[in-house]
Amino acid sequence: MGVFTFNDEFTSPIPAARLFKALIVDSHNLIPKLMPQAIKSIDIVQGDGGAGSVRQINFGEGSQFSSMKNRIDELNEETFTYKYALIEGGPLMEKFESIAYEIKFEPTPDGGSKNKMTSTYYTKGDFEIKEEEVKAGKERSLGMYKAVEAYLIQNPDAYA
């Protein structure tokens, strides 16, 4: 088994608390509304939405996957920290034992936020991750961040 870790960081003009609430805490409601062509629904299939819960993401037509499941390991609304693991992902699970994610939103002096994400891939056998695959995943994640950010800019009272 191989272990590969990737870090990413970006800044946003949106305050950490507001972005965390929209992008993480209420993602199961907001993301399918903002990106219905990509994500049909996000269902909490086990638990109450907090730590220990399992979310199933159902993708839109034409996606390479029909669905995947994530287990929430930590959701801390005080420190704006979110940790989760991919536990079901169709063909992805042929290559990976698991994938763990850690997201941290930090307030910045200008009223925005700095957002850090760490992805740790635990591969099966001697499978190695190609940089293009990681880049494609980052692009999809960043697209979702940008969609939520644009929504929050256009709707200043949402998630305030």
Side-chain angles (χ1 to χ4, degrees):
M1 176 172 72
V3 179
F4 302 88
T5 301
F6 301 94
N7 296 298
D8 208 8
E9 187 175 300
F10 74 95
T11 58
S12 173
I14 306 297
R18 199 166 163 234
L19 192 58
F20 187 81
K21 194 181 292 183
L23 190 60
I24 304 300
V25 177
D26 198 46
S27 63
H28 60 286
N29 291 313
L30 185 60
I31 301 298
K33 289 177 188 172
L34 296 180
M35 306 176 73
Q37 70 288 357
I39 298 179
K40 227 185 303 185
S41 66
I42 300 174
D43 303 315
I44 299 169
V45 294
Q46 181 181 319
D48 60 4
S53 297
V54 175
R55 288 185 179 181
Q56 178 171 312
I57 297 104
N58 299 300
F59 296 101
E61 298 298 318
S63 175
Q64 64 187 67
F65 307 110
S66 61
S67 67
M68 64 176 48
K69 287 184 181 176
N70 293 327
R71 181 191 64 239
I72 300 170
D73 296 322
E74 179 182 338
L75 193 151
N76 189 322
E77 293 185 58
E78 292 178 17
T79 61
F80 312 122
T81 305
Y82 180 56
K83 296 178 184 178
Y84 68 100
L86 176 70
I87 58 171
E88 276 183 37
L92 275 180
M93 300 319 283
E94 295 170 8
K95 300 174 182 175
F96 299 102
E97 292 289 338
S98 65
I99 305 172
Y101 301 92
E102 183 173 341
I103 302 168
K104 173 91 171 131
F105 296 76
E106 298 175 348
T108 56
D110 64 1
S113 57
K114 181 175 10 175
N115 310 294
K116 300 176 180 180
M117 182 173 181
T118 301
S119 307
T120 305
Y121 297 81
Y122 299 89
T123 61
K124 289 184 176 180
D126 58 358
F127 176 75
E128 289 195 28
I129 301 172
K130 294 183 176 71
E131 195 171 322
E132 309 86 65
E133 293 172 319
V134 173
K135 189 174 180 181
K138 282 183 183 182
E139 293 297 321
R140 285 190 294 275
S141 293
L142 188 57
M144 191 166 41
Y145 275 80
K146 291 299 179 186
V148 170
E149 185 180 78
Y151 173 81
L152 294 174
I153 289 169
Q154 291 172 0
N155 298 278
D157 295 332
Y159 301 98

